[in-house]
C-alpha cells in the first residue's frame, strides 16, 4: 500500500467533506491502516480547535467490543477461559439463570451475541463517572431474561459483551480497564486510549465534545458519556492513530497481543442468519462489498459514532470516529467504508467473488444458521 497516500487522501477528503455537508457533522478523524491518517473539521465548535488524528480523543463506543473480544482471546490462549464452557463455572457472586437446562451460555455465545438474552439493554449509561455502578454488581442486578436457547439466534446484546468483559476481570484478577490497559493498549503503544471511568486527565483534556444538530446549529449533546458496563463500549476513549495500532495487530496476525491462530479464530465466521447472509465472528460482524468479505464494527453514543472495517484478504483497514450525529450522520460511516472498499479492494476474480458473494450490509449482528457449540 505504499505510495497510495495521495490517492486515499484525495478520495477520503472528498468523502468526509461531502459527509460534513450532507450529514451536518462537526468533525471526524480517520486512519487507514498502513496508508493515511487525517483529521477533518473541528474538535470543538465553540473555539474552532481542529481535529488532530494523533491527539484528538473521541468516544468510539461499541467499537470497544473488539477490544473486549481480544482480551477474552488472550485469556483463552493462557488457558484461563474455555470458549465452550458454561460461564457459570467462572462466576462466583452471581449466576446466569438456568432457563434452558443442559444448554448453558458459553463465552462463544457471548462473543457472537447468541446467548439468548432479551434485547433492549436500556439503562446502561451514566451521565458522570460518579454515577457508574461496579461492573459485577450491575450485571448481577440487571440480568435480562433468557428468551431463547443459546445458539438459536443472534440478537445484539450489550449485557452479553459486558458479561464477557466481567469474566476477563474474574479470570485475570484485574479490573477490566486495568487489564486492557496493561495487555492491549500498552503493548500496542495506544497512549491516548482508556476504558477507565473517569478517564485519565490527559485523555479527558484531549476529548472532543460530542454535538447534535438543533435548529441548524451544533449544540453540545446531552446524555450518557459513561456507563455501567465498560466492556460493551461505555466510557471508551481513543484516537484514530491509536485505533490504527489495534487494526494493524488484527491485520498482522496479532502483533504483540495475540497469536495468529487466535486472530484467525476471532475473524472466522461462527454464525449467520442463513446461507448468503452476513454473519458473526468473535466480536466482528461480516460485511460484504464488491464480492469481498469485510469485518466491521460500529458504535454510537449521544454525540459520537465510529466505525472500523478490515479487509483481511488485502491486509488493509479503515477506522473513522466522529464527534457529532448530525442529520443521520452514522450513515456516512457506511459511505466511507464503501468508498474505501471500492478504491482499495475492487471486485476479485469472478470465481472468488461467487464464493464470497453476500448482499447484506448489517447494522446489527446477523442471526445464526447453526447452534454453537455444534450439535
Amino acid at each position: 500500500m505504499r505510495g497510495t497516500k495521495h490517492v486515499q487522501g484525495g478520495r477520503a477528503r472528498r468523502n468526509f467533506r461531502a459527509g460534513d455537508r450532507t450529514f451536518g457533522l462537526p468533525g471526524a478523524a480517520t486512519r487507514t491502516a498502513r496508508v493515511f491518517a487525517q483529521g477533518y473539521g473541528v474538535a470543538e465548535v465553540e473555539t474552532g480547535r481542529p481535529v488532530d488524528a494523533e491527539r484528538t480523543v473521541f468516544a468510539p463506543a461499541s467499537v470497544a467490543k473488539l477490544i473486549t473480544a481480544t482480551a477474552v482471546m488472550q485469556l483463552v490462549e493462557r488457558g484461563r477461559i474455555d470458549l465452550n464452557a458454561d460461564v457459570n463455572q467462572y462466576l462466583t457472586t452471581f449466576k446466569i439463570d438456568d432457563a434452558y437446562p443442559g444448554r448453558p451460555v458459553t463465552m462463544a455465545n457471548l462473543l457472537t451475541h447468541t446467548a439468548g438474552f432479551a434485547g433492549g439493554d436500556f439503562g446502561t449509561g451514566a451521565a458522570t463517572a460518579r454515577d457508574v455502578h461496579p461492573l459485577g454488581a450491575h450485571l448481577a442486578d440487571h440480568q435480562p431474561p433468557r428468551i431463547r436457547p443459546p445458539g438459536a439466534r443472534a440478537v445484539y446484546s450489550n449485557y452479553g459483551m459486558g458479561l464477557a468483559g466481567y469474566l476477563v476481570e474474574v479470570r485475570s484478577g484485574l479490573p477490566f480497564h486495568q487489564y486492557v490497559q496493561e495487555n492491549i493498549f500498552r503493548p500496542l503503544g495506544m497512549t491516548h486510549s482508556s476504558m477507565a471511568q473517569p478517564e485519565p486527565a490527559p485523555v479527558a483534556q484531549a476529548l472532543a465534545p460530542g454535538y447534535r444538530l438543533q435548529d441548524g446549529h451544533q449544540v453540545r449533546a446531552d446524555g450518557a458519556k459513561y456507563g455501567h458496563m465498560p466492556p460493551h463500549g461505555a466510557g471508551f476513549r481513543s484516537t484514530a492513530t491509536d485505533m490504527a495500532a489495534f487494526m494493524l495487530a488484527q491485520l498482522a496476525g496479532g502483533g504483540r497481543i495475540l497469536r495468529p491462530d487466535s486472530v484467525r479464530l476471532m475473524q472466522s465466521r461462527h454464525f449467520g442468519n442463513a446461507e448468503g447472509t452476513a454473519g458473526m465472528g468473535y466480536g466482528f460482524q461480516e460485511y460484504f462489498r464488491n464480492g469481498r468479505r469485510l469485518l466491521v464494527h460500529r458504535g454510537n453514543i449521544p454525540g459520537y459514532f465510529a466505525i472500523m472495517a478490515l479487509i483481511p484478504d488485502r491486509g488493509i483497514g479503515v477506522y473513522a470516529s466522529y464527534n457529532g450525529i448530525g442529520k443521520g450522520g452514522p450513515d456516512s460511516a457506511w459511505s466511507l467504508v464503501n468508498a474505501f472498499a471500492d478504491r482499495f479492494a475492487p471486485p476479485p476474480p469472478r470465481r472468488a467473488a461467487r464464493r464470497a458473494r453476500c448482499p447484506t450490509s448489517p447494522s446489527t449482528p446477523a442471526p445464526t444458521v447453526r447452534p454453537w457449540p455444534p450439535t
Side-chain angles (χ1 to χ4, degrees), residues 6 9 52 57 59 69 88-89 104 106 120 165 187 189 233 235 245-246 257 281 298 346:
H6 65 286
D52 184 308
V57 173
N88 277 336
Q89 78 176 46
T106 68
F246 177 76
I257 57 173
R298 72 172 188 175

Side-chain angles (χ1 to χ4, degrees), residues 61-74:
S62 285
V63 178
K65 290 179 172 68
L66 301 178
I67 305 292
T68 299
T70 298
V72 168
M73 296 306 297
Q74 289 180 332

Side-chain angles (χ1 to χ4, degrees), residues 3-290:
T4 61
K5 179 175 180 179
H6 65 286
V7 177
Q8 171 62 9
R11 185 153 189 175
R13 287 189 183 95
R14 290 195 296 274
N15 188 276
F16 267 97
R17 288 170 179 165
D20 289 348
R21 294 189 298 270
T22 302
F23 297 103
L25 304 171
T30 183
R31 175 67 163 128
T32 306
R34 301 181 182 173
V35 182
F36 181 80
Q38 182 66 52
Y40 299 87
V42 295
E44 192 170 42
V45 170
E46 296 82 0
T47 65
R49 172 167 60 98
V51 173
D52 184 308
E54 295 185 9
R55 296 179 177 85
T56 303
V57 173
F58 290 82
S62 285
V63 178
K65 290 179 172 68
L66 301 178
I67 305 292
T68 299
T70 298
V72 168
M73 296 306 297
Q74 289 180 332
L75 294 180
V76 171
E77 289 182 352
R78 298 167 194 173
R80 300 295 295 164
I81 289 177
D82 182 337
L83 288 167
N84 300 316
D86 182 350
V87 297
N88 277 336
Q89 78 176 46
Y90 302 129
L91 296 170
T92 58
T93 60
F94 69 97
K95 299 292 184 181
I96 299 302
D97 179 38
D98 188 19
Y100 298 91
R103 303 193 68 175
V105 173
T106 68
M107 180 60 79
N109 295 138
L110 299 180
L111 295 183
T112 53
H113 298 274
T114 59
F117 294 122
D121 295 321
F122 300 113
T124 64
T128 71
R130 293 188 302 272
D131 300 324
V132 172
H133 304 157
L135 176 58
H138 181 84
L139 292 167
D141 294 341
H142 296 81
Q143 184 177 155
R146 292 177 61 193
I147 61 174
R148 62 183 63 86
R153 182 177 176 84
V155 174
Y156 195 82
S157 175
N158 284 328
Y159 183 91
M161 199 60 75
L163 180 59
Y166 178 64
L167 290 169
V168 170
E169 283 195 358
V170 171
R171 300 303 289 166
S172 70
L174 296 174
F176 181 77
H177 74 272
Q178 182 179 345
Y179 179 89
V180 297
Q181 195 72 39
E182 294 180 4
N183 292 275
I184 298 177
F185 298 159
R186 188 174 299 163
L188 293 179
M190 297 172 65
T191 57
H192 297 87
S193 299
S194 173
M195 285 194 180
Q197 298 184 105
E199 60 273 82
V203 174
Q205 291 165 6
L207 178 66
Y211 294 90
R212 61 182 177 84
L213 276 179
Q214 180 175 301
D215 298 326
H217 300 284
Q218 299 287 349
V219 299
R220 297 281 181 108
D222 298 322
K225 302 296 190 297
Y226 301 93
H228 308 306
M229 298 189 295
H232 82 66
F236 181 36
R237 309 287 187 257
S238 193
T239 63
T241 51
D242 273 13
M243 293 305 291
F246 177 76
M247 281 199 300
L248 287 170
Q250 285 285 336
L251 290 167
R256 297 182 177 182
I257 57 173
L258 284 177
R259 296 198 301 248
D261 58 336
S262 297
V263 173
R264 285 192 293 271
L265 192 59
M266 271 191 74
Q267 296 182 7
S268 295
R269 177 187 174 101
H270 298 288
F271 290 91
N273 188 28
E275 294 297 331
T277 65
M280 293 294 301
Y282 288 151
F284 285 107
Q285 303 170 31
E286 291 181 320
Y287 180 87
F288 289 84
R289 180 76 174 178
N290 299 328

